[in-house]
Amino acid sequence: MKHTTPRTTSQRHLVEVTFSKLGSLVFLSHREVANAFLRALRRAEWPVALSEGFTSRPRVAFLDALPVGVESTVLGALVELSQDRRPDDLANSLTAQLANGMLPAVVQRRPFAIRKQLLRIIWETWECEVALGDLAPTELSAALQAAETGGLVPAGLIRLAEVSPPTEDHAPARVWLSVFKQTPGLRPLLVLRRILDAHNWSAAIARCRQIEFGREVD
Amino acid sequence: MRAADLDNLLPLVSRPARYIGGEWNSVGKDQSQVRLAVALAFPDAYEVGMSHLGIQLLYQILNKMPEVQAERVFAPWTDMAALLTERRLPLTSLETGRPLSQFDLVGFSLQHELNYTNVLFVLSLAGIPLLSHQRAEGGWPLVCAGGPCTCNPEPLADFFDFFVLGEGDEVVKEIAATCLAHGRPTDSHRRERLLESLAGLTGIYVPSFYRAAYEDGRLTGVTATNLAAPAVVQKRMVRDFASLPIEDRPVVPFLEAAQDRVAIEISRGCPHGCRFCQVGYICRPYRERKVEAIIPAAVKSVKNTGLEQVSLLALNCMDHSQIKELTARLREALSPMGVSISLPSTRVDTFDLEAAWDTIEVKRSGLTVAPEAGSERMRGVIHKDVTRAQLLDLVSQAFGSGWHVVKLYYMIGLPTETEADLLAIGEEVQKVLTAARKSAHPRQRGRIRVHVSLATLVPKPHTAFQWEPQLDRNDIRDRQRIVMKGLMARAIHPRWHDPEQTLVESLLARGDRRLCHVILKVHQMGGRFDGWSEHFSWQRWDEALTACGLTWAEYLRERAEDELLPWDHLSFGVQKSFLLRERHRARVGSAGVS
């Protein structure tokens, strides 16, 4: 079966795949995750459309390049197919081929016309585990709420900031921080680190996970 | 290492993905069913080891045995090693995190002499005693090695319990079966019984069963001291290579490995008789697989791995009797999947443009050829019977057909080499460039690149040049300078080997058991990753050799033809008298015998 790229937009079939990057896979770079995903697509025998250049490439675009060390439950990719397939069938075949830590795969059909908008993430939420030490959860919560008004981060940047106190002794607190991505490199982790540093708090950020994002078309 | 320990270390090291395991096709087994745990250790970084076909093959073969679990261990990079030492954590396998010392068998793959110090580096990080006699008591794992360096394993004789000479595909199962039958030896007596059983297998060399004698600093004899040990150990060879199953489920690394592709071995051995080529001599005779076996295996491997390139492996792919049919049918099967095909270095005289063209329809890659010498006379000496006209013709055809990069491999330090032979390399490369420019499409001319790799001959054991002297440092540099003068052009990109690394390679390739002390000394002085120029230290080797009362001159000298060589008790199927005849033929530049 030849997976050549269809000539017209109406023949193109676009699906959005959401998968996770968890556990030890946090140590993979974006390029390594992308390679692992592309190989899983080939194993799953998806009819991925190929580019028509000298070096044929699968027509797959990744939504966001996540830094090394950060988990995600919402990593996304837009995959162009040469044939239409049922999303459930695609999801089942792909899930069976993803490495541990990349499960599960959710597949949705998307209109090709909004491909560019689908790639544009405008805000994202991260869940971070913070070992507070002597710091009280309420203090951190207050600092997060006051960060914009105090000029620590640009106004209008923070979309959501919540702190859940530790449930047991020495357990980390959970911080949900959602920021508008004014620049690609501006991430919740950076904002959180800036706030902690500004107060000279030695609280350590133990683990971060991207859990949600928003686009204009969502 | 416990998972928690590893998690704490990983954020602190470079390229942490080297240590996480869990790659696609890696094997985890129910540990209650496992009776023999084998660690396949590669004494180099993960990216290098994962590119090696041998370790992938052995991993799959062993893991098909229900009671055997094969796991992988690679040399940790220096930052990780420092942390392991500092926190007193042992080196562990990727699959189960089992400390290396808890395996029944630790098998190293010896691909290059400059990896020898890394063998000790890995063992010491694992807390395993380095010398084999120190492991006799206490239930330590058996430590063995295979790979091309076992042509002369004498410099490592004190560290290993046994070596596998030749091809491991079949003997590895026999080794596992023997170990399973004996169980893990807990004392020196049982360990010796197990080694005696292993010594009975063709291709197994147990160095502790042999004693080397020296007189006036020269080797005078290597004699078997155990009745189970044969006087001459024969290499192991797969006779029916065509029927050997093609393993189609290689582990797919997360990290970009040096060779990130499906590798399908289409043939073994080489029908030509290049006199410098160790692998050409030791892998005799030439054997090949049928197209009918290769195509489905390649397709299945791609489906099992998802890799985007298939590489056909052979010493010279173009020697395959069905190469045109093979590349055409492979292209037909793989191009719809967007999978490209690559061919490794090929001989000029056998290069078939039609077959090669089939491989690049999907993805264009560079053309790699190995003329080895610049002058026709020198090529006669080494029995590389190709002519400059053939080379230029090939380049013209290839560049006229769309190629724009060629990589040429040359060697210096060949026997009877003169300045004229060295100048001929530069002259030939310039002619190649001219031919490429003439035949390339005008739009491609700006993209033309001629890469030149300049190696220095290391006269390796079991070759016709095994008696030849090794060039010294200054001589290598002088000859490199002469060649480099002829390689001045923007489109020519020369690379050459470090003379000091070449000398250490030569020392270890042709050394004897006395070098065990030198390797140990270098290890104690911090030697590791010697194949990596940033970690290599000439001074360390020089000091260690001197401290052990040995000299470079003794090891790099020309060997007398009637002299006992350290590897004479190991047979790779080619008689010494034949090699000697070939040496004499080389002196007069006459054709050799394939």
Side-chain angles (χ1 to χ4, degrees):
Chain A
M1 177 187 352
K2 284 203 171 190
H3 305 316
T4 48
T5 308
R7 300 278 171 188
T8 61
T9 311
S10 60
Q11 287 175 287
R12 293 180 172 185
H13 309 281
L14 190 68
V15 290
E16 182 175 356
V17 187
T18 310
F19 60 98
S20 318
K21 175 192 169 192
L22 300 171
S24 55
L25 297 197
V26 295
F27 296 109
L28 301 187
S29 68
H30 173 65
R31 191 185 158 93
E32 287 153 4
V33 171
N35 275 339
F37 180 76
L38 291 174
R39 286 164 185 173
L41 285 181
R42 188 171 282 119
R43 290 193 295 265
E45 299 185 32
W46 278 30
V48 179
L50 299 174
S51 66
E52 290 175 329
F54 251 150
T55 307
S56 288
R57 285 277 178 205
R59 297 187 70 95
V60 179
F62 291 87
L63 264 62
D64 204 5
L66 207 61
V68 176
V70 178
E71 293 184 326
S72 175
T73 51
V74 288
L75 269 183
L78 295 178
V79 182
E80 207 177 303
L81 303 175
S82 58
Q83 295 158 20
D84 196 18
R85 293 280 169 90
R86 285 183 55 229
D88 284 353
D89 294 344
L90 291 170
N92 290 338
S93 63
L94 180 62
T95 301
Q97 299 298 328
L98 285 172
N100 281 341
M102 289 179 83
L103 305 177
V106 178
V107 180
Q108 293 167 287
R109 276 200 188 101
R110 295 292 191 189
F112 200 86
I114 59 162
R115 185 176 176 274
K116 278 189 178 168
Q117 291 95 308
L118 285 168
L119 288 169
R120 206 173 298 136
I121 290 176
I122 53 170
W123 59 263
E124 61 182 335
T125 306
W126 287 19
E127 181 188 272
C128 300
E129 289 181 4
V130 182
L132 293 175
D134 297 334
L135 182 67
T138 47
E139 277 182 285
L140 178 58
S141 185
L144 286 170
Q145 303 299 337
E148 284 186 332
T149 49
L152 275 178
V153 293
L157 184 75
I158 295 180
R159 188 174 170 272
L160 165 89
E162 281 178 17
V163 179
S164 159
T167 48
E168 298 165 29
D169 284 350
H170 307 298
R174 280 170 189 263
V175 177
W176 290 274
L177 191 60
S178 175
V179 299
F180 285 99
K181 290 187 71 178
Q182 292 174 335
T183 60
L186 192 61
R187 290 303 180 70
L189 177 65
L190 199 69
V191 173
L192 182 59
R193 172 54 53 205
R194 197 182 290 177
I195 293 166
L196 290 172
D197 288 348
H199 290 84
N200 285 327
W201 288 330
S202 57
I205 302 169
R207 181 173 292 213
C208 282
R209 179 180 290 183
Q210 183 195 39
I211 56 168
E212 199 183 8
F213 61 76
R215 300 172 288 204
E216 277 170 1
V217 288
D218 286 331
Chain B
M1 200 186 324
R2 287 181 298 119
D5 292 329
L6 186 66
D7 281 350
N8 290 336
L9 297 185
L10 290 179
L12 309 174
V13 297
S14 59
R15 307 200 80 176
R18 284 169 172 156
Y19 314 103
I20 60 176
E23 307 96 318
W24 193 256
N25 289 337
S26 60
V27 179
K29 286 190 175 180
D30 175 3
Q31 293 304 304
S32 64
Q33 306 295 314
V34 174
R35 286 183 54 224
L36 184 76
V38 182
L40 296 173
F42 197 90
D44 208 326
Y46 175 90
E47 307 84 294
V48 181
M50 284 304 291
S51 305
H52 181 240
L53 178 65
I55 204 162
Q56 292 269 20
L57 292 182
L58 297 179
Y59 183 79
Q60 294 171 78
I61 292 169
L62 285 169
N63 277 320
K64 279 183 183 166
M65 299 175 78
E67 294 177 311
V68 180
Q69 162 111 48
E71 303 185 28
R72 293 159 301 139
V73 177
F74 299 92
W77 199 245
T78 48
D79 52 357
M80 179 58 130
L83 285 171
L84 290 176
T85 311
E86 183 192 307
R87 302 189 184 192
R88 298 186 180 185
L89 294 169
L91 184 64
T92 55
S93 67
L94 288 178
E95 277 75 6
T96 59
R98 188 200 310 252
L100 211 54
S101 56
Q102 289 176 18
F103 280 85
D104 301 297
L105 195 60
V106 178
F108 281 90
S109 177
L110 298 177
Q111 296 300 309
H112 195 246
E113 289 80 2
L114 293 177
N115 282 343
Y116 287 1
T117 45
N118 263 19
V119 170
L120 305 194
F121 176 54
V122 166
L123 289 177
S124 62
L125 283 172
I128 297 174
L130 302 181
L131 297 166
S132 58
H133 71 81
Q134 293 171 336
R135 298 191 295 266
E137 299 284 349
W140 293 104
L142 284 182
V143 180
C144 63
C149 289
T150 56
C151 277
N152 175 27
E154 292 302 277
L156 293 169
D158 291 353
F159 308 117
F160 283 93
D161 295 300
F162 68 94
F163 294 99
V164 179
L165 311 187
E167 297 162 4
D169 315 68
E170 292 171 343
V171 75
V172 73
K173 290 187 269 188
E174 295 167 20
I175 294 169
T178 308
C179 291
L180 278 168
H182 278 257
R184 187 168 177 141
T186 48
D187 58 49
S188 58
H189 180 71
R190 285 182 185 182
R191 198 177 178 90
E192 181 136 331
R193 293 292 84 76
L194 173 54
L195 286 172
E196 282 171 356
S197 295
L198 289 168
L201 302 174
T202 306
I204 302 297
Y205 168 51
V206 181
S208 58
F209 289 171
Y210 297 80
R211 193 179 58 239
Y214 301 89
E215 217 175 279
D216 297 332
R218 295 276 162 95
L219 183 71
T220 54
V222 179
T223 43
T225 56
N226 188 302
L227 287 175
V232 174
V233 184
Q234 299 292 333
K235 77 157 179 181
R236 191 60 182 260
M237 185 188 68
V238 178
R239 292 199 180 274
D240 190 7
F241 178 69
S243 308
L244 190 71
I246 301 178
E247 301 300 333
D248 54 20
R249 212 169 262 282
V251 178
V252 186
F254 287 122
L255 272 179
E256 229 167 279
Q259 305 286 331
D260 223 356
R261 57 192 71 145
V262 169
I264 305 280
E265 199 182 11
I266 61 169
S267 66
R268 261 186 208 172
C270 178
H272 308 281
C274 299
R275 293 182 175 119
F276 62 87
C277 181
Q278 186 184 50
V279 76
Y281 280 114
I282 66 171
C283 292
R284 290 179 177 203
Y286 177 73
R287 295 146 288 162
E288 59 183 41
R289 284 187 164 122
K290 299 276 179 225
V291 173
E292 292 70 32
I294 296 168
I295 306 283
V299 172
K300 206 168 171 200
S301 297
V302 168
K303 286 185 174 172
N304 285 340
T305 59
L307 288 166
E308 45 288 288
Q309 195 174 47
V310 171
S311 179
L312 302 181
L313 286 195
L315 289 177
N316 177 27
C317 285
M318 294 299 169
D319 283 328
H320 196 283
S321 58
Q322 298 170 292
I323 189 67
K324 274 189 198 170
E325 186 191 344
L326 175 61
T327 50
R329 284 179 58 186
L330 260 184
R331 196 185 106 192
E332 200 181 303
L334 298 177
S335 64
M337 299 157 85
V339 175
S340 63
I341 310 158
S342 73
L343 300 175
S345 162
T346 45
R347 280 178 67 96
V348 177
D349 54 334
T350 59
F351 196 86
D352 186 320
L353 198 70
E354 198 183 320
W357 190 246
D358 272 335
T359 69
I360 62 155
E361 277 293 306
V362 183
K363 186 175 181 177
R364 286 174 182 241
S365 52
L367 173 71
T368 310
V369 284
E372 307 292 2
S375 68
E376 309 287 4
R377 188 195 75 81
M378 205 68 250
R379 284 197 275 259
V381 169
I382 61 175
H383 191 212
K384 190 91 184 181
D385 46 2
V386 296
T387 63
R388 183 173 293 178
Q390 282 175 317
L391 173 66
L392 298 180
D393 188 41
L394 164 71
V395 170
S396 298
Q397 280 188 58
F399 278 68
S401 307
W403 263 280
H404 55 86
V405 178
V406 62
K407 188 169 185 182
L408 302 169
Y409 285 98
Y410 286 100
M411 270 197 299
I412 58 167
L414 296 163
T416 74
E417 189 173 72
T418 62
E419 190 168 341
D421 297 313
L422 297 170
L423 291 171
I425 296 176
E427 193 183 296
E428 188 164 277
V429 173
Q430 295 290 356
K431 281 192 189 304
V432 164
L433 181 59
T434 310
R437 280 183 176 148
K438 265 189 194 162
S439 21
H441 189 278
R443 274 192 300 184
Q444 291 272 26
R445 276 180 202 153
R447 299 176 66 196
I448 290 174
R449 297 279 178 280
V450 180
H451 294 278
V452 181
S453 172
L454 197 63
T456 306
L457 173 78
V458 173
K460 295 262 176 146
H462 304 286
T463 69
F465 292 160
Q466 64 181 352
W467 295 273
E468 300 296 334
Q470 174 69 54
L471 286 190
D472 67 28
R473 272 199 297 175
N474 293 334
D475 215 355
I476 295 174
R477 287 211 178 93
D478 289 345
R479 293 191 196 203
Q480 284 178 339
R481 250 179 246 127
I482 293 170
V483 177
M484 288 303 160
K485 273 186 210 159
L487 301 179
M488 300 294 182
R490 248 181 71 189
I492 299 174
H493 299 259
R495 282 184 60 195
W496 55 93
H497 289 198
D498 175 23
E500 292 167 345
Q501 282 180 312
T502 301
L503 292 194
V504 174
E505 182 188 338
S506 185
L507 170 84
L508 298 173
R510 303 200 300 170
D512 53 32
R513 290 189 178 197
R514 292 174 296 179
L515 290 182
C516 293
H517 305 294
V518 179
I519 297 170
L520 187 60
K521 188 95 186 153
V522 172
H523 164 70
Q524 287 162 348
M525 291 161 78
R528 64 196 65 172
F529 288 104
D530 278 312
W532 297 69
S533 53
E534 66 266 44
H535 292 293
F536 175 78
S537 163
W538 163 260
Q539 200 185 349
R540 209 152 37 205
W541 281 96
D542 195 35
E543 280 175 23
L545 199 69
T546 311
C548 294
L550 301 169
T551 62
W552 288 99
E554 169 59 20
Y555 285 97
L556 305 183
R557 69 184 166 85
E558 182 175 357
R559 310 292 165 98
E561 290 180 354
D562 59 352
E563 186 178 335
L564 182 73
L565 300 171
W567 51 90
D568 276 351
H569 59 298
L570 308 175
S571 169
F572 279 78
V574 182
Q575 289 181 356
K576 200 174 174 183
S577 54
F578 171 82
L579 296 175
L580 200 54
R581 273 201 306 278
E582 279 296 288
R583 185 192 191 208
H584 295 157
R585 283 199 184 102
R587 294 280 161 183
V588 291
S590 75
V593 181
S594 296

